[in-house]
Every structure is written in C-alpha cells, then in structure tokens.
Amino acid sequence: MRKNRLRLVGVLAAALVAVVGSPAQAGHQEPTLADLAQRHGRYFGSATDNPELVDEPYKALLGSEFDQITPGNGMKWYATEPEQGVFDFSKGDEIVNLARANHQKVRGHTLVWHSQLPDWLTGREWTATELRAVLKKHIQTEVRHYRGKIYAWDVVNEAFNEDGTYRETVFYKTLGPGYIADALRWAHQADPKARLYLNDYNVEAVGPKSDAYYRLAKQLKARGVPLHGFGLQTHLALQYGYPATLEDNLRRFARLGLDTALTEVDVRMELPATEEKLAQQADWYRDMTEACLAVRRCVGITLWDYTDKYSWIPDFFPGEGAALPWDEELRPKPAYFALRQALR
C-alpha cells in the first residue's frame, strides 16, 4: 500500500514540477525545506564544493532552499595546509562568505581524517612528540581562522572500523586513541562556542561500529572532554536495506547529553533508476527525517550536495547513483516531496 502511495506521490510531484517548478523555482510561494525544518527547531542543509559555485542556477537554489552549508572538500587538510606550516583558507573562505551572505549556518568539515592528507604528512615517519605538535597546530590554526563563523565542527572523522576497532590511521598508530580527546580539547580552546562532533558512516543502526562510538562518547563525557555531538553521515544504499534502529540509536546518544545530526545524507541505487526505486528512495528520505524529528536532540539534516549533477556517488560506486532529491537538471524528484511531507 505504501509503495502505491509513493508512486502516486511521485506522479503528482512530476506533474507539479512540470507546471510550476519546485517551490524555490516558483518564487518561494511555498516554504522551503529550511523553512519547514525551522518550524521544528531544526536546520536543513546541503554540502557544496567550490567548482560548482560557478553554476548560477545551482547556486541560487543552494542559497534559497537551505539554511546550512557544509564545505565538501575546501576545509580538509590537503586544501588548508598543503605545505607544512603554510595555510590556505581560500576555498573554505569562499563557502563561508557565501553562507554568511545567505544567512546560513556552516558546519566545518573536517579537522582530523585519515584521507585527503597532504604528502608531506603521510610521506614520512613521525615521533609522537612531532605529530602531536603538527596536529595541534593544524587544528588550532584552522579553528581560530573560522572562530565565530562555524556553527559546528566535524573534529574527528571516521575513527573506527566496521567491527568497532580503531582505524589504523597515522594519528592512531603514532599517538594512540588519546588523539581524539586531544583534538576535541584543542578545537575547544580555539573556539569555545563551536559545537564539536565525531562523525562517521555506517553508524546509523545500532551495531558494532555505533556501539564503539557510544562507548567512546560515554568515556569522553565522563572525563569532561568537550564533545557536543555525534554526526551520522547517512550514506545509504537501497540494496543494503534501511537502518531500522536509527531512531533508537539517535535516542541513546541524546541520553548521553549529546546532539546528533544526519550530516552527509544520500540514498544511492543501482542504475538505472526506476519508478519503484525512486519511490523506495522517497520512503527512506521520509523515514530518516521523521526519525530525526522524533528525537529532540537531533538538530538537523544535511544532504551531501542536493543534486545528482554534483553527487560523488558515480565516481566512487560505478553503476550506482541517482542518490539525491534533485536530479541532474535541478528538478525535484519524489524524494524531495517526501522530505516536505515529513517536515510538514
């Protein structure tokens, strides 16, 4: 019954778009996703990246439909400290300035991650003393640069393996697990008002990986380490099933006194996209939004870019795609209308 209902929603949505375009395209006659989320005390955001900001129709929709932006790449280590001690914040600044012009919040992404590191950092061996100094300088220089302009930081990204063991990163291997608490403390010193998060993928359901974060968060809170939130990336795929325990998982982190957020949302599928797959995708977008709304400390949802035109999925998962609520022509898909329905 629900699938039939979704198919009808999709048909009606397509007909509506054909006549008037999306609400944002139709002169804001309808409230945006951000407007609807604000009624619940949440934000609704999108990631973006610098190369696509020359696309004016894309940029206009980014500025009107959302009230939060995450830089996809411009604040990562390879972009911000390409040479040791030489910092370049131009890409991050461009997105922060765009967000400020549009009165949007910014999530900083990301200070400590095993990927997209510059060669100078990964191409040599470090002593613990040397790497601690490098890590502290990087975190504090970047956070101080954006002090007062960043609502929240993904401080440490993807610290665990799927089985709940620590990922063997350069930071873990050289400094041990204590690098996570140090990173949070250093970021807090640099901007005491920013909300500090741990962030990862495949942590939406209750399981070994999310259990590891739950244990770590509990320990950090007990030690007075400045941790304020847990980010669930929510990169989902239709072929692997929906994380049915998402709401329960959000609740247990809230009970620790933490905010949660769905930080990098997309729902990919094996191509070609069909009416049935798009209906199922819309269902999932609705369900995850309802799960966030059901938990008071789930503070917002961020799409990992909003349009298939700029999705990362086809490059990383060949044969998959169509993951976002707008298609490559910036036309809203059934998922977009399912989001509106959930937020209403």
Side-chain angles (χ1 to χ4, degrees):
M1 189 67 164
R2 193 171 192 189
K3 284 186 179 178
N4 291 336
R5 189 176 74 245
L6 253 293
R7 287 196 188 95
L8 180 59
V9 169
V11 171
L12 292 173
L16 179 62
V17 172
V19 176
V20 299
S22 73
Q25 294 164 332
H28 294 295
Q29 295 173 351
E30 291 287 325
T32 64
L33 293 178
D35 293 333
L36 294 171
Q38 286 169 12
R39 296 175 186 178
H40 300 277
R42 270 73 167 184
Y43 62 77
F44 205 99
S46 175
T48 192
D49 208 0
N50 302 80
E52 57 220 44
L53 297 182
V54 299
D55 181 339
E56 290 301 329
Y58 164 87
K59 188 175 170 183
L61 195 52
L62 178 71
S64 61
E65 189 75 36
F66 306 99
D67 60 350
Q68 180 269 322
I69 290 182
T70 301
N73 289 294
M75 292 184 179
K76 291 174 180 173
W77 200 316
Y78 82 102
T80 55
E81 195 181 356
E83 300 175 51
Q84 185 173 359
V86 178
F87 289 85
D88 180 358
F89 297 115
S90 57
K91 289 183 171 59
D93 288 351
E94 182 183 19
I95 292 173
V96 167
N97 291 338
L98 175 67
R100 288 168 73 84
N102 291 324
H103 308 289
Q104 295 164 309
K105 292 180 178 181
V106 179
R107 281 187 67 92
H109 179 81
T110 173
L111 296 171
V112 188
W113 189 31
H114 66 275
S115 186
Q116 292 180 263
L117 295 171
D119 291 341
W120 67 262
L121 183 60
T122 58
R124 55 157 288 185
E125 295 293 320
W126 301 90
T127 67
T129 300
E130 288 170 338
L131 190 59
R132 271 181 62 83
V134 165
L135 185 59
K136 181 177 181 179
K137 181 175 182 179
H138 177 80
I139 290 170
Q140 295 206 319
T141 302
E142 183 163 4
V143 175
R144 284 191 186 117
H145 178 80
Y146 289 112
R147 182 171 176 156
K149 299 178 182 179
I150 298 288
Y151 154 74
W153 278 102
D154 293 326
V155 177
V156 178
N157 194 47
E158 301 176 4
F160 285 102
N161 297 311
E162 296 304 302
D163 63 359
T165 58
Y166 280 97
R167 187 187 288 271
E168 294 276 332
T169 69
V170 61
F171 307 109
Y172 178 80
K173 288 189 290 186
T174 309
L175 302 174
Y179 83 92
I180 296 175
D182 286 338
L184 290 162
R185 292 189 186 101
W186 293 331
H188 184 66
Q189 290 168 3
D191 186 353
K193 293 185 178 179
R195 307 291 287 174
L196 305 182
Y197 280 68
L198 306 177
N199 189 59
D200 214 324
Y201 64 92
N202 286 353
V203 292
E204 294 75 32
V206 175
K209 196 173 188 181
S210 61
D211 287 348
Y213 275 103
Y214 181 81
R215 288 191 297 270
L216 175 62
K218 195 171 183 178
Q219 292 164 4
L220 293 172
K221 294 289 285 184
R223 290 160 49 197
V225 176
L227 174 66
H228 308 118
F230 181 47
L232 301 84
Q233 293 182 14
T234 326
H235 292 297
L236 303 183
L238 294 183
Q239 63 268 30
Y240 299 128
Y242 183 79
T245 51
L246 173 59
E247 185 178 326
D248 294 334
N249 203 24
L250 294 172
R251 287 192 189 282
R252 67 170 175 164
F253 282 95
R255 285 195 292 268
L256 292 179
L258 295 174
D259 291 344
T260 55
L262 309 185
T263 56
E264 306 183 19
V265 176
D266 47 31
V267 181
R268 68 186 187 270
M269 62 186 69
E270 294 174 337
L271 299 174
T274 63
E275 185 180 313
E276 184 175 9
K277 289 176 186 175
L278 291 172
Q280 185 183 5
Q281 179 189 61
D283 250 347
W284 286 24
Y285 270 104
R286 180 195 292 108
D287 290 347
M288 73 175 78
T289 302
E290 289 175 347
C292 180
L293 294 178
V295 179
R296 184 179 58 83
R297 294 200 69 157
C298 182
V299 297
I301 297 170
T302 306
L303 304 174
W304 203 240
D305 224 321
Y306 69 87
T307 166
D308 295 333
K309 185 175 184 179
Y310 297 117
S311 174
W312 69 294
I313 296 295
D315 289 336
F316 285 81
F317 299 96
E320 300 180 42
L324 293 157
W326 279 261
D327 69 14
E328 293 185 2
E329 305 299 323
L330 306 186
R331 293 175 303 207
K333 293 153 62 176
Y336 169 78
F337 294 92
L339 287 170
R340 294 184 64 81
Q341 187 179 55
L343 290 167
R344 284 189 185 281

